[in-house]
């Protein structure tokens, strides 16, 4: 990429509506296939959606009238299903955990929008957060303007703050998603040098993080693969450092060492995009993010018992919220600080910056802000 032009907002733009007390609940639609013919209603749901609720939780939901078969509420768990029947399970509305709602616009044109996401706000619906997400705010904002809503094109953990890039057109979405995917594919191919990769990559992501302990080296290159393991409370599995996982590469530069506080301020550039990659990689080298409730030394979870399953269920029939830490838990300090990319339609090189939280500023940066 050529030298980037720094984007500047002449006036800070923010948007976001307050969250309602309860969300709208959820509806899950299914059609009975021949393989499920003659199964009972409870057999169907307890096997197909076993990660949603234990057996007795599904019995409660059925008896509570939350499932319709061909438009009719059915409360008998032993009802026999027929091929082609349409099933609808309605999850009752619930109050989602507290989350911020305001989003700052860092850059916007006809193809894309870059937001400064606050820590504590989930990007896409999942788990307990089905409404209190960035996507919902984008949908609400677009509906006021009567235009299609932008969609996020990459991941950013709930506890991570900073730049989130969203596409406003199908073409921009396709090309931006390819930018992120290509960075990961280069790592997987492992055929190019870092110099060659820098010349071909269309996007660069730079983060700030505060880690525990004092790093010995000023520069660290972490190449630890990342894989998945079973973990209570995470239906699809937990990402961890694993020798059998997929390749991942993080470049770490030490900015400041706080000897008295026994922590280090670092800049991290990731050349792949594995979920929770920075948290896992820094924990893997023995310096987990300060305040991270989940990942500890070695890049594994603090409490690890893959065989443990809590069979108790909550008021709505679903599993109780996990008592052990999960990836969405906050408390760590990680900020997507800069994004340099080739514009998806003009190919202009653009640099987007999200201002740093005070705890992630160097002493010189903090002084300069005070002076200005």
């Amino acid at each position: 990429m050529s030298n980037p032009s720094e984007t500047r907002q002449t006036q800070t733009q923010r948007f976001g509506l307050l969250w309602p007390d309860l969300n709208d609940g959820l509806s899950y639609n299914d059609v009975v296939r021949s393989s499920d013919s003659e199964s009972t209603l409870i057999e169907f749901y307890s096997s197909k959606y076993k990660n949603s609720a234990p057996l007795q939780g599904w019995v409660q939901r059925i008896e509570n009238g939350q499932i319709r078969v061909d438009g009719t509420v059915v409360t008998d768990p032993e009802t026999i299903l027929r091929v082609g029947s349409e099933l609808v399970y309605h999850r009752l509305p619930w109050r989602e955990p507290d989350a911020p709602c305001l989003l700052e616009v860092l850059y916007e044109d006809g193809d894309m929008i870059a937001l400064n996401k606050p820590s504590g706000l989930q990007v896409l619906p999942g788990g307990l957060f089905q409404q209190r997400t960035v996507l919902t705010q984008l949908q609400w904002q677009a509906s006021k303007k009567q235009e299609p809503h932008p969609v996020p094109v990459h991941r950013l953990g709930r506890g991570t703050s900073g730049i989130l890039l969203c596409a406003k057109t199908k073409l921009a979405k396709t090309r931006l998603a390819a930018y992120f995917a290509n960075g990961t594919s280069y790592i997987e191919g492992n055929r190019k040098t870092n110099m060659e990769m820098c010349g071909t990559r269309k996007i660069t992501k730079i983060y700030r993080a505060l880690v525990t302990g004092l790093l010995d080296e000023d520069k660290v290159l972490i190449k630890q693969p990342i894989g998945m393991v079973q973990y209570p409370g995470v239906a699809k599995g937990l990402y961890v450092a694993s020798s059998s996982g997929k390749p991942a590469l993080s470049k770490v530069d030490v900015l400041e060492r706080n000897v008295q506080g026994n922590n280090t301020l670092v800049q991290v550039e990731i050349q792949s995009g594995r979920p929770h990659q920075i948290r896992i990689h820094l924990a893997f080298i023995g310096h987990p993010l300060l305040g991270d409730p989940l990942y500890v030394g070695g890049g594994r979870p603090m409490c690890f018992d893959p065989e443990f399953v809590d069979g108790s269920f909550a008021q709505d029939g679903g599993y109780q919220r996990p008592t052990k830490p999960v990836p969405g838990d906050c408390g760590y300090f990680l900020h997507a600080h800069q994004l340099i990319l080739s514009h998806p339609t003009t190919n202009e090189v653009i640099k987007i910056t999200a201002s740093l939280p005070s705890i992630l500023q160097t002493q010189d940066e903090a002084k300069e802000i005070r002076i200005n």
Side-chain angles (χ1 to χ4, degrees):
M1 290 189 289
S2 58
N3 291 331
S5 58
E6 182 90 34
T7 64
R8 296 185 183 277
Q9 287 290 124
T10 55
Q11 185 177 359
T12 301
Q13 300 178 36
R14 291 186 176 88
F15 68 90
L17 298 177
L18 293 175
W19 306 114
D21 189 48
L22 297 177
N23 62 24
D24 298 327
L26 287 173
S27 291
Y28 299 84
N29 297 275
D30 288 283
V31 176
V32 179
R33 299 180 179 181
S34 57
S35 58
D36 296 311
S37 177
E38 303 303 315
S39 295
T40 63
L41 193 61
I42 186 60
E43 287 172 343
F44 179 86
Y45 278 101
S46 63
S47 60
K48 185 176 178 65
Y49 295 108
K50 60 184 177 182
N51 289 324
S52 172
L55 176 65
Q56 289 304 312
W58 276 113
V59 170
Q60 174 182 299
R61 289 171 171 179
I62 294 170
E63 293 179 344
N64 197 36
Q66 292 175 241
I67 295 177
R68 291 177 177 268
V69 179
D70 294 326
T72 302
V73 173
V74 175
T75 58
D76 181 4
E78 300 302 322
T79 299
I80 303 297
L81 300 178
R82 297 174 301 179
V83 175
S85 288
E86 297 180 356
L87 309 180
V88 180
Y89 156 60
H90 179 62
R91 183 177 177 182
L92 299 176
W94 72 94
R95 189 184 191 284
E96 300 181 12
D98 292 338
C101 62
L102 280 181
L103 292 160
E104 178 187 357
V105 178
L106 300 172
Y107 174 88
E108 184 173 16
D109 61 25
D111 296 294
M112 62 184 188
I113 180 172
L115 305 173
N116 189 1
K117 185 189 84 69
S119 174
L121 180 59
Q122 190 156 302
V123 175
L124 299 175
L128 293 174
F129 295 92
Q130 295 294 325
Q131 184 179 64
R132 299 185 180 191
T133 66
V134 173
L135 182 61
T136 299
Q137 290 292 352
L138 287 170
Q139 291 170 335
W140 288 347
Q141 180 73 358
S143 66
K144 290 196 300 183
K145 299 179 179 180
Q146 294 185 326
E147 60 186 26
H149 67 83
V151 291
V153 293
H154 64 108
R155 307 180 186 97
L156 210 58
R158 187 168 80 89
T160 304
S161 58
I163 303 169
L164 178 70
L165 196 60
C166 306
K168 299 174 74 173
T169 67
K170 289 183 178 179
L171 178 61
K173 178 183 177 183
T174 299
R175 290 184 176 174
L176 291 172
Y179 290 177
F180 286 98
N182 286 345
T184 300
S185 66
Y186 286 140
I187 303 301
E188 290 178 339
N190 199 27
R191 295 178 184 145
K192 300 193 177 193
T193 65
N194 285 343
M195 186 78 67
E196 291 174 316
M197 287 173 58
C198 288
T200 53
R201 279 161 52 213
K202 294 278 193 176
I203 197 160
T204 298
K205 299 168 285 182
I206 299 172
Y207 292 73
R208 282 284 181 96
L210 189 62
V211 304
T212 58
L214 304 175
L215 272 74
D216 295 328
E217 303 293 331
D218 290 338
K219 294 180 180 293
V220 182
L221 192 64
I222 308 173
K223 298 181 178 180
Q224 172 62 32
I226 293 174
M228 292 182 70
V229 295
Q230 288 186 326
Y231 184 80
V234 184
K236 295 181 180 179
L238 178 70
Y239 288 93
V240 298
S242 170
S243 58
S244 60
K246 295 183 178 180
L249 179 65
S250 301
K251 296 166 63 178
V252 181
D253 289 280
V254 171
L255 300 178
E256 278 186 353
R257 294 179 178 87
N258 182 345
V259 177
Q260 186 175 0
N262 191 36
N263 55 62
T264 305
L265 182 64
V266 297
Q267 174 177 290
V268 186
E269 178 183 342
I270 57 174
Q271 296 183 350
S272 52
R274 307 300 177 197
H276 315 300
Q277 176 175 321
I278 294 176
R279 297 170 65 187
I280 294 169
H281 270 181
L282 288 165
F284 175 75
I285 64 171
H287 296 279
L289 269 60
L290 186 66
D292 193 329
L294 178 61
Y295 293 105
V296 294
R300 310 283 285 188
M302 186 178 300
C303 308
F304 186 54
D305 181 6
E307 303 301 323
F308 175 79
V309 176
D310 184 358
S312 62
F313 56 94
Q315 187 175 1
D316 72 342
Y319 287 106
Q320 297 279 9
R321 191 193 186 289
T323 55
K324 295 182 179 181
V326 292
D329 291 343
C330 304
Y332 54 90
F333 301 98
L334 179 62
H335 182 73
H337 179 40
Q338 291 182 332
L339 194 67
I340 305 171
L341 74 152
S342 177
H343 192 279
T345 58
T346 68
N347 287 325
E348 176 188 4
V349 179
I350 297 173
K351 181 179 180 181
I352 303 170
T353 301
S355 57
L356 292 162
S358 58
I359 197 169
L360 295 178
Q361 297 168 1
T362 64
Q363 293 184 28
D364 288 343
E365 288 167 340
K367 285 179 184 178
E368 185 177 343
I369 291 173
R370 287 196 296 268
I371 292 172
N372 295 335

